[in-house]
Amino acid sequence: MDFELKSLSPTQAAQLACDALLVLVPDARPAVEGTDALSQLVARVNKAGDLEAGVAKLLACYRPEGFKAARVCLVRAGDGSAASVRKAVAAGVGALRQPGVQRLGLVLSLMDSSDASVRAAVQAAADATYTFTTTKPSAKARSLRHVVLGVNQPASVRQGFETGKAVVSGVEFAKEWANRPANHATPSMLADAARKLGRHASIKTEVLGPKQVEALGMGSFLAVAKGSAEPLRFIVMQYSGGAKSSAPVVLVGKGITFDTGGISIKPAAEMDEMKFDMGGAASVLGTFAALAELQPAINVVGLIPSCENMPDGLAVKPGDVVTSMSGQTIEILNTDAEGRLILCDALTYAARFKPRSVVDIATLTGACVIALGGVRSGLFSPRDDLAQALQAAGDAAQDLCWRMPLDDEYAEGLKSNFADMGNVAGRAGGAITAAKFLQKFANDLPWAHLDIAGTAWKGGAAKGSTGRPVPLLLQYLIDQAALDAATSKPKKATTGRTRKA
Ligand code: BES
Ligand code: MN
Ligand code: ZN
C-alpha cells in the first residue's frame, strides 16, 4: 500500500479526489468554525449531537454536498492522542474496507497532529487492510491501494510518517512469515528469507546448519531439533548502520516453526496455532526489513535458532540430560518447554558480539498469556535502564509491554538432582520461571526477555499474526541511535569548530 503525506486544509480535503474520505473529528470543537463544506458538515453534526464524543464512533455519509468523494466517513478521535487516532483509524478504515475503495483520503487536518499520531494513523490503516494471500490467493490482496494522509503541516510530522511506513514494512514482513503454515515456513525457508534480506547493502546474513551448530557445542538446541526430519538452521544477521566501534544491539528470536510439544505432546485442540511459535523469529526478520528501509545509525545483530519440535523415535525424551553451549547441563523434564532450550544456546552465542544489550523475543509460555492476555507482552530484565528503555519504546510505538519480576526465589523450582538445572519448574509463575531459566545463560550481559506468547497472534475468527513486537523493537533501536547521536555530538562540536573568545 502506498502512503502519501499532503498538506490539506479542510477546504482542500473536501475537494480531494478519492473513493472515500475518512475524517478524524476531535472531541474539542474549534473556536471559530470554518466556512468550507467539511467544517460546516462537522459543525452541523456536532450541533445536532449526531456523532457521540469518545473514540471510534462513526458517522457515514453518501455524497454529501460540497465533497468530491462519494463516501465520507466521520470518526471520533477523542483527544487526538496517538492511542485515540489508532483506534479511530482502525474503526474507520475497517468500515470503509469495500471493493470500491482503492484510494482513501485520511484527514487529520481538524486536529493538531504529531509525529506519534501520524505514525499511529499509518500503522492502523495498514493493519486494518492487511490480507494474507500466500496460501489463499482467492482472498485477493486488499483493494485499498493508496492512502493520502492530509495534515496541516506535513514538514512537522514527516519523520513520524517515514517511521510509520518503515514499521508497516517490518510488521507486514513479520506477519507474512508468521502466518505461513509450517510446511510453507520451514527453518530452511526462514533462512532463505533472511538471506534475501542480506541482499540489502547494510545487511549481512550467515546461516549455520546442524554440523556447525554441533561444532559450536549447542547441545541444547540440537536436542530440540532431533525429532524432526527438517534440518535446523541458526541464522545470524548483521545490520551495520553505526560506526564500526559502536557496540551492537543483539535481537534473539525464537524460531520454532512448529511446536507439537515433542514427546511431551500437546493436546490436539488448537495445535495448528503452534505454527506461530516462530513469532519471535518473524519479529527479528521484520525488524531487519524495517532497518533496511529506515537506515538508522546503529549496529544490530539478529540471531534466530530455528527448528521444529516433533515427537519421533530419535526425539529427545523426558529425563534426558544435555550439555548446553555454556557448559551447563540441563535435565529436559518436559520436551514442550523447548523454546528456552534453543534460546539458551543463542544467548551464549550472543556474548561474542560484546553487545550493548541483548533482547530475546519468544512465544515462550502459555503462562504469560494467562498473566497478561493479548494486550501487553511480558518484559523481563534485571537491568532497570534496559527495562525502562524497552517499556518507553513500547509506549511510544503503541506496542505495549509490562515488566515482570525476576526474584531469585523463582528459580528454586529449576533445581535438578541430575543436571545443573531442569528445564521446567512447577505450574506456578510459569512465565517467570522460564525467564529465570534464560537468565542463567545471560550471565552479565545487559539482557532483556520479551514473552510474546499472548501478543504475537490472535486466535478465533481473526486468527492471524499481529506482527508484534516489531513496532517496539524498531522504536527501541531508533531511540538507541538517537542516544548515540546525542552523546557523540559534543565531541564533533569541539573538534570541528574553533570557538571565538
Ligand atoms: N510455544 C509454547 C508456548 C505457548 C503456548 C505460546 C500456548 C502460546 C500459546 C511453549 O513452547 C510451551 O509449550 N510452553 C509450555 C511450557 C511448560 C511445558 C513449562 C507451556 O507454556 O505450557
Ligand atoms: Mn512447547
Ligand atoms: Zn514453543
Side-chain angles (χ1 to χ4, degrees), residues 396-427:
Q398 306 275 319
D399 182 2
L400 304 175
C401 61
W402 193 258
R403 192 171 179 188
M404 304 278 278
L406 280 173
D407 303 276
D408 280 334
E409 288 79 355
Y410 285 110
E412 284 295 318
L414 293 171
K415 287 191 172 138
S416 159
N417 291 342
F418 306 102
D420 292 327
M421 69 195 86
N423 75 329
V424 293
R427 270 167 52 82

Side-chain angles (χ1 to χ4, degrees), residues 117-173:
S117 62
V118 163
R119 177 175 161 177
V122 169
Q123 286 175 228
D127 221 48
T129 57
Y130 170 87
T131 324
F132 178 75
T133 58
T134 305
T135 52
K136 189 183 178 185
S138 64
K140 210 159 62 86
R142 61 180 137 219
S143 54
L144 182 59
R145 286 178 204 295
H146 195 86
V147 177
V148 178
L149 200 64
V151 298
N152 289 313
Q153 291 177 322
S156 67
V157 294
R158 171 72 55 189
Q159 206 186 352
F161 178 71
E162 296 301 333
T163 306
K165 285 195 299 174
V167 169
V168 166
S169 302
V171 163
E172 295 196 346
F173 199 99

Side-chain angles (χ1 to χ4, degrees), residues 25-27 29 45-46 48-59 74-78:
V25 183
D27 285 346
R29 301 190 188 176
V45 166
N46 276 339
D50 278 336
L51 184 59
E52 257 178 82
V55 178
K57 303 283 182 193
L58 293 169
L59 182 65
L74 305 184
V75 61
R76 277 287 178 206

Side-chain angles (χ1 to χ4, degrees), residues 287-310:
T287 299
F288 271 71
L291 288 172
E293 189 170 320
L294 207 59
Q295 295 283 319
I298 185 162
N299 296 328
V300 187
V301 174
L303 301 178
I304 299 176
S306 180
C307 66
E308 290 181 339
N309 186 21
M310 300 288 284

Side-chain angles (χ1 to χ4, degrees), residues 6 13 24 101 106 108 128 131 136 221 286 301 304 333 355 401 430 441 460-461 473 480:
K6 212 169 168 169
L24 272 71
V101 179
L106 183 47
L108 271 66
T131 324
K136 189 183 178 185
F221 179 17
V301 174
I304 299 176
L333 290 162
C401 61
F441 298 84
L473 295 172
Q480 289 299 304

Side-chain angles (χ1 to χ4, degrees), residues 254 259 266 274 277 334 336-338 340 363-366 424 453 457:
K254 171 179 172 183
D259 182 10
K266 287 182 182 293
M274 284 300 118
D277 210 18
N334 187 321
D336 197 11
E338 85 297 339
R340 61 198 78 180
T363 49
L364 203 63
T365 65
V424 293
W457 77 88

